[in-house]
Structures are given as structure tokens and as C-alpha cells.
């Protein structure tokens, strides 16, 4: 069998060459040439890219992170990069210890990353990872588009638990050739542990080939944004509140160590992700997360003509917190983007039976409306729900009491735009609260597809704010932003588009 040429491999694998994994025939892989120097530690996670800490678009000041993980052993890694096919610049590589493993089988690993800084907007760069003098991986990425450029991104949530559907969604996400992925949370099950990221997330979204039963090489060339969600913080404290317990799971909260996302949210939120456990284990986590914990729970960024505000909606937070609300208002009022998205895992408006009562994020609806938010993207309910544009004014006594209590229902007054249809009437009056939580985990609400009588609730005055609900297949959402025209498509796990709408600004 003739080995793949480098060019064929680049074409088939989305643009990266892992020399150590270059296929030579069915089931066979080439071994790397023996290198001088000490033996390299085994990769536990192959190199992948992440958006990095930058938030606002600034020519010449964009950045990207290249990260990977290995067993703990001495190694000298280098990351070189450039924008003309040459690797003329070198980034500083840093590493930090993380515990990883299942049950009592815990070992120390190393998380490595290099931040590539001083990048131009909308430009393709190549990067190369070397270890002990041996070239291990080459890839490319494109930095964020400046204002005025067309952008395509894909969104899905509630994925990565080792299911075939995860692989199909990853494949079809890659097939859309997105500029980036906006994950809607619950990116990794069951508890957001480092070993779960290693088993369920990286092998699927950074596989060496693109195939619907394997996954796709997304992460090596496509930035992947996500939001913290309930399955990132699965332990319970003495009061049965969510917390990350490093005594129980020494590799908890991999969100804060595996992902490298913008760092412009409140440095210490009023309600940070709670942690508990042995101080020495917490110290190891804090050293690996560094400035990302707890700050990365809330952040925002611009991409092309769009602004994205990503919020921690976990139950330990309080969307009525005045400090958080001030930051949200300041963030949304300070952008001149054409399109404004909010991403939070728990949907403010969801008619499904599994999580209908989890409505606390509704209290932010008036802020979203006042600042011209176009779309709120959520997951949590494992299906697809396309809403009508709506406005909502919370009512009732003491919103903080409602949010703090067991019952997180938030009653209020709806104003639903029934004129907008996304085809001939494309100017919405209100915010579209899209649920895209069918990214791979088992689906909720069987029997709700094409059953509008099940899509209303007495508690919401039987308002028909959902116009399409599909619960019988996994799916992802594809957004195309072109000036003041937005197209949203829903694509299923077979690659079939089954819903589409257009939004315009006039
Ligand atoms: Fe969830």
C-alpha cells in the first residue's frame, strides 16, 4: 500500500500533519524517526488550538493558543509559527501539572500550552510543535475576522460522552467548514473531569480523519469556544449545592485547564464556581488554571460583525447579582457589532419536559432586549427548539427569592412576535432564544416533534413562543453572518438540513 502523500493527508485530515500518525495503509501507522535526546513522554492529548485570552478585535494584537497534554516526564517542546508558510516566530511554551485518571487510578500529567501573540486579524497562520528536536505536528488556523467580513460558525451543546452521535455531529460540524465552534455547554460528560475530556472530547473533535463514525480534526485548526455548565460541576457539598470536590475527583474542572478562552469577565465573580477538597490538590488545580479560574466563567468576544457574551448560568450563580448585571450591561453597551449573541447553557425559554422549570436566566431578558441582543443560544434540554422572537417582563414578588429558591420558575408577561417567519418576514421584534442541545447526548422529550400542543405551558399562559421543536434526531446549528443578513440552519446527524431561517436588520 502506498503511503499517503503529505498533500493527500492535508486534504483528508483538514490541514494538519501528525508525522507520528501518518497512515501507511489500513490499520498501520508510521513510527516517527528516532530522534536524538531523551525519549518524549507520550501524548495524552494531541496538539489542539484554542481561542486564547483576547476579547475585542485589534489589528496586530490577536492571539491563539496551541495546547497539548502528556504524561509527566522531562521534555523540551517548541512551538513555531508564521503567516507565510514559514515558521519564523517562536512562542513561549509553559507546562503545569494536572492530576488525571479514574477512581483511585490517578497519575500526574502535564498540560502544555503556548500563546501565539501579535497576530493579524483574518489571516491564516501555520504552526509547528516540536519535541526534543523532532517535528511532531504541523497545522494551521485562521485568526478572527475583522468587521465587515462574512463569518460562519456552528453551535451545539450537550455532547461528548463517547456516543456515536457525538462523532456524527463532530463530522458534520467540520463538514460545514466553520470559522469557529460555539459550544452551548455540557461539552463533556459526566462531570467535566480531565480524564473525561481525554476520553470523550479530544479523540472525537480532534480525530486524525473526518468520518461520521470517527469524528473530525476540528480542534487542530478551528477555535472552539464553550461555556461552563452543570456537568462541569457535578459534585455536591454538605448542603447539596454544586461544587467541584477535588477529594472525590482530583481532576475536576477541566474546563478551566483544558480550555483557553477570553479573560475579560469579572476577575472574581460574586458567585464563583465552588471548589472544595484537600488543599494540596486544590493548589495543583489553581496552578494549572492560573488566571483562568474563576474568571473564565464569564467572558465576551467579537468575531467579524458579531459580539458574543458567554455567561455562567449554573445554579450557584445569581443572574440578579447587581455586579454581574452591571458587567453584562457594560459589555453589551460597549460593542458596535451588528449582531449580538448571548450564550448560556440553561435556556431562559424552553418548553421541553426535562428542564422546563429551570428558568432563572429569564430575569436577564429585559437587559438583552434593551441592548439589542439578537439571539440567545442555550443547551441543557437535549433537542432543538426554534422560537418566535419574544419580549419578556418578569413579574411577581422578589425575583432574587425566586432564583434562590428551589422553584426556579420565573413568571412574567410575554410579547410574542408572530409576524416574523424567517422567510418573508425577516425583521424580528424581540430576541430569539434558540435551544441547540442535541449535540450528541441522549435526546429528551420523545414525541414532541411536530406536536405543537405539547409546546405550551399553563405557567407561561400557553404562549406559543416555540414554533419548531425537533427531538427525534441529533443536530447542530449553522450560522452565516453576511453584513446585516443572518442565516440560521439546523443540520441533523446525517447532514440533512431540516430547518432554516433568515434574520435581517431592516
Ligand atoms: Fe446541562
Amino acid at each position: 500500500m502506498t503511503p499517503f502523500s503529505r498533500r493527500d493527508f492535508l486534504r483528508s485530515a483538514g490541514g494538519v500533519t501528525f508525522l507520528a500518525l501518518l497512515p501507511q495503509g489500513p490499520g498501520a501507522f508510521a513510527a516517527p524517526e528516532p530522534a536524538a535526546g531523551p525519549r518524549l513522554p507520550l501524548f495524552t492529548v494531541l496538539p489542539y488550538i484554542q481561542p486564547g485570552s483576547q476579547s475585542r478585535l485589534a489589528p496586530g494584537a490577536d492571539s491563539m493558543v496551541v495546547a497539548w497534554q502528556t504524561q509527566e516526564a522531562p521534555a523540551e517542546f517548541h512551538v513555531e509559527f508564521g503567516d507565510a508558510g514559514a515558521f519564523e516566530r517562536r512562542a513561549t511554551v509553559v507546562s503545569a501539572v494536572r492530576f488525571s485518571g479514574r477512581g483511585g487510578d490517578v497519575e500526574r500529567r502535564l498540560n502544555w500550552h503556548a500563546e501565539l501573540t501579535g497576530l493579524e486579524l483574518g489571516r491564516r497562520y501555520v504552526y509547528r510543535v516540536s519535541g526534543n528536536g523532532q517535528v511532531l505536528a504541523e497545522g494551521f488556523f485562521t485568526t478572527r475576522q475583522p468587521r465587515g467580513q462574512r463569518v460562519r460558525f456552528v453551535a451545539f451543546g450537550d455532547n461528548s460522552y463517547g456516543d456515536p452521535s457525538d462523532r456524527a455531529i463532530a463530522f458534520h460540524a467540520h463538514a460545514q467548514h466553520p470559522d469557529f465552534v460555539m459550544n452551548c455547554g455540557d461539552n463533556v460528560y459526566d462531570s467535566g473531569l480531565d480524564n473525561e475530556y481525554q476520553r470523550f472530547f479530544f479523540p472525537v473533535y480532534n480525530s486524525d480523519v473526518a468520518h461520521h463514525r470517527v469524528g473530525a480534526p476540528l480542534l487542530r485548526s478551528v477555535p472552539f469556544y464553550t461555556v461552563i455548565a452543570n456537568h462541569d460541576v457535578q459534585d455536591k457539598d454538605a448542603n447539596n449545592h454544586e461544587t467541584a470536590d477535588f477529594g472525590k475527583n482530583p481532576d475536576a474542572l477541566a474546563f478551566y485547564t483544558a480550555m483557553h478562552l477570553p479573560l475579560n469577565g469579572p476577575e472574581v465573580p460574586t458567585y464563583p464556581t465552588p471548589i472544595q477538597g484537600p488543599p494540596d490538590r486544590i493548589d495543583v488545580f489553581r496552578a494549572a488554571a492560573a488566571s483562568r479560574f474563576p474568571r473564565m466563567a464569564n467572558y465576551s468576544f467579537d468575531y467579524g460583525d458579531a459580539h458574543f457574551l458567554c455567561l455562567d448560568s449554573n445554579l450557584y450563580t445569581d443572574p440578579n447579582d447587581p455586579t454581574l448585571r452591571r458587567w453584562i450591561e457594560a459589555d453589551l453597551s460597549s460593542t458596535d457589532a451588528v449582531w449580538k449573541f448571548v450564550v448560556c447553557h440553561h435556556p431562559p425559554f424552553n418548553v421541553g419536559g426535562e428542564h422546563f422549570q429551570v428558568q432563572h436566566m429569564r430575569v436577564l431578558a429585559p437587559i438583552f432586549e434593551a441592548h439589542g441582543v439578537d439571539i440567545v443560544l442555550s443547551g441543557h434540554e437535549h433537542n432543538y427548539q426554534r422560537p418566535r422572537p419574544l419580549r419578556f417582563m418578569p413579574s411577581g414578588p422578589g425575583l432574587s427569592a425566586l432564583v434562590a429558591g428551589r422553584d426556579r420558575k420565573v413568571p412574567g408577561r410575554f410579547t410574542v412576535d408572530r409576524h416574523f417567519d424567517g422567510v418573508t418576514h425577516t425583521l424580528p421584534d424581540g430576541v430569539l432564544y434558540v435551544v441547540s442541545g442535541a449535540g450528541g447526548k441522549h435526546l429528551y422529550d420523545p414525541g414532541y416533534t411536530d406536536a405543537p400542543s405539547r409546546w405550551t405551558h399553563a405557567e407561561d399562559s400557553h404562549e406559543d413562543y416555540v414554533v419548531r421543536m425537533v427531538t427525534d434526531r441529533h443536530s447542530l446549528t449553522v450560522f452565516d453572518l453576511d453584513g446585516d443578513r443572518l442565516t440560521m440552519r439546523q443540520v441533523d446527524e446525517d447532514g440533512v438540513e431540516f430547518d432554516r431561517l433568515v434574520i435581517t436588520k431592516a
Side-chain angles (χ1 to χ4, degrees):
M1 183 67 76
T2 307
F4 282 96
S5 71
R6 173 188 165 89
R7 194 171 168 184
D8 287 339
F9 191 74
L10 286 172
R11 192 182 303 130
S12 67
V16 75
T17 304
F18 283 95
L19 295 178
L21 295 173
L22 198 62
Q24 290 204 327
F29 296 94
E33 290 296 319
R39 181 174 165 272
L40 281 168
L42 289 177
F43 280 103
T44 51
V45 172
L46 291 172
Y48 61 102
I49 65 161
Q50 275 282 281
S53 58
Q54 297 301 311
S55 171
R56 295 305 169 96
L57 297 170
D62 208 15
S63 66
M64 198 74 81
V65 164
V66 177
W68 63 95
Q69 299 175 20
T70 68
Q71 294 178 319
E72 188 184 34
E76 188 174 343
F77 285 104
H78 293 292
V79 174
E80 297 154 300
F81 63 101
D83 63 353
F87 304 94
E88 74 272 14
R89 295 165 66 186
R90 178 174 282 194
T92 302
V93 175
V94 297
S95 67
V97 170
R98 270 239 68 178
F99 292 111
S100 191
R102 279 179 279 175
D105 185 19
V106 175
E107 64 180 39
R108 289 160 62 95
R109 302 265 175 88
L110 289 175
N111 284 14
W112 303 79
H113 79 272
E115 184 147 24
L116 284 47
T117 58
L119 308 181
E120 296 296 335
L121 296 171
R123 186 171 298 181
R124 175 174 285 208
Y125 287 84
V126 291
Y127 67 91
R128 178 160 72 193
V129 180
S130 308
N132 292 356
Q134 180 182 0
V135 174
L136 301 167
E138 292 177 359
F140 64 78
F141 58 79
T142 302
T143 51
R144 290 180 295 163
Q145 295 296 333
R147 296 275 192 248
Q149 296 297 308
R150 283 192 289 186
V151 170
R152 170 174 290 184
F153 72 97
V154 296
F156 56 85
D158 308 85
N159 47 291
S160 302
Y161 201 34
D163 297 317
S165 43
D166 301 347
R167 301 167 192 276
I169 293 300
F171 172 75
H172 289 295
H174 181 257
Q176 294 290 333
H177 301 293
D179 292 300
F180 64 97
V181 176
M182 185 68 250
N183 181 267
C184 303
D186 278 356
N187 181 36
V188 175
Y189 288 84
D190 196 33
S191 304
L193 308 180
D194 192 71
N195 82 82
E196 294 170 339
Y197 268 81
Q198 288 185 27
R199 288 184 290 147
F200 304 139
F201 177 65
F202 288 111
V204 172
Y205 299 88
N206 199 18
S207 64
D208 289 314
V209 293
H211 190 280
H212 68 278
R213 287 190 298 223
V214 176
L218 266 173
L219 291 164
R220 60 191 59 177
S221 57
V222 178
F224 191 106
Y225 295 86
T226 184
V227 289
I228 193 165
N230 56 302
H231 279 277
D232 292 302
V233 193
Q234 272 286 289
D235 301 316
K236 296 286 187 289
D237 67 11
N239 297 314
N240 206 34
H241 295 157
E242 311 108 316
T243 187
D245 184 349
F246 287 89
K248 183 179 171 193
N249 293 306
D251 61 343
L253 289 187
F255 167 83
Y256 286 107
T257 56
M259 313 312 277
H260 297 259
L261 302 168
L263 294 176
N264 68 324
E267 195 168 343
V268 181
T270 308
Y271 300 98
T273 304
I275 57 176
Q276 66 179 37
D280 56 332
R281 289 186 175 180
I282 289 178
D283 287 347
V284 168
F285 163 73
R286 282 186 176 278
S291 59
R292 289 175 285 172
F293 178 79
R295 187 171 199 171
M296 213 168 70
N298 301 285
Y299 63 90
S300 71
F301 66 96
D302 286 352
Y303 202 118
D305 285 326
H307 180 75
F308 295 82
L309 171 62
C310 301
L311 299 174
D312 181 354
S313 59
N314 276 333
L315 303 190
Y316 55 76
T317 65
D318 181 355
N320 282 307
D321 168 33
T323 305
L324 178 68
R325 293 171 77 97
R326 274 196 298 275
W327 178 74
I328 291 173
E329 293 203 78
D331 180 81
L332 290 175
S333 61
S334 65
T335 179
D336 61 355
V338 176
W339 301 98
K340 294 182 185 178
F341 292 82
V342 171
V343 187
C344 58
H345 180 63
H346 298 76
F349 302 94
N350 148 54
V351 299
E354 198 79 24
H355 296 306
F356 171 71
Q357 75 281 4
V358 185
Q359 301 172 354
H360 54 287
M361 294 304 281
R362 287 185 180 189
V363 302
L364 293 172
I367 294 180
F368 298 160
E369 294 160 24
H371 292 282
V373 169
D374 300 285
I375 291 179
V376 175
L377 276 170
S378 299
H380 203 42
E381 193 80 10
H382 298 180
N383 50 46
Y384 168 64
Q385 296 174 45
R386 189 240 275 201
R388 302 181 196 276
L390 67 83
R391 295 179 184 276
F392 180 78
M393 182 54 66
S395 63
L399 292 176
S400 283
L402 282 169
V403 169
R406 260 176 192 280
D407 185 349
R408 298 177 81 87
K409 287 181 185 168
V410 178
R413 191 179 71 250
F414 285 83
T415 305
V416 179
D417 175 2
R418 296 184 179 80
H419 191 62
F420 174 90
D421 61 10
V423 181
T424 54
H425 302 286
T426 58
L427 181 62
D429 182 9
V431 181
L432 281 105
Y433 292 88
V434 176
V435 175
S436 186
K441 197 73 163 61
H442 73 276
L443 295 164
Y444 290 168
D445 307 320
Y448 277 57
T449 304
D450 299 328
S453 64
R454 307 183 75 169
W455 303 346
T456 65
H457 293 265
E459 295 94 328
D460 284 344
S461 310
H462 286 292
E463 293 283 357
D464 57 344
Y465 55 80
V466 164
V467 73
R468 187 90 198 271
M469 185 169 180
V470 177
T471 70
D472 62 358
R473 68 197 90 164
H474 293 91
S475 63
L476 67 147
T477 315
V478 186
F479 290 93
D480 284 293
L481 311 181
D482 187 359
D484 59 5
R485 181 185 175 89
L486 179 156
T487 304
M488 179 183 120
R489 298 179 289 125
Q490 197 70 13
V491 175
D492 74 10
E493 57 198 296
D494 294 322
V496 176
E497 177 185 316
F498 65 85
D499 197 19
R500 172 189 286 247
L501 62 85
V502 171
I503 303 175
T504 56
K505 288 286 181 180

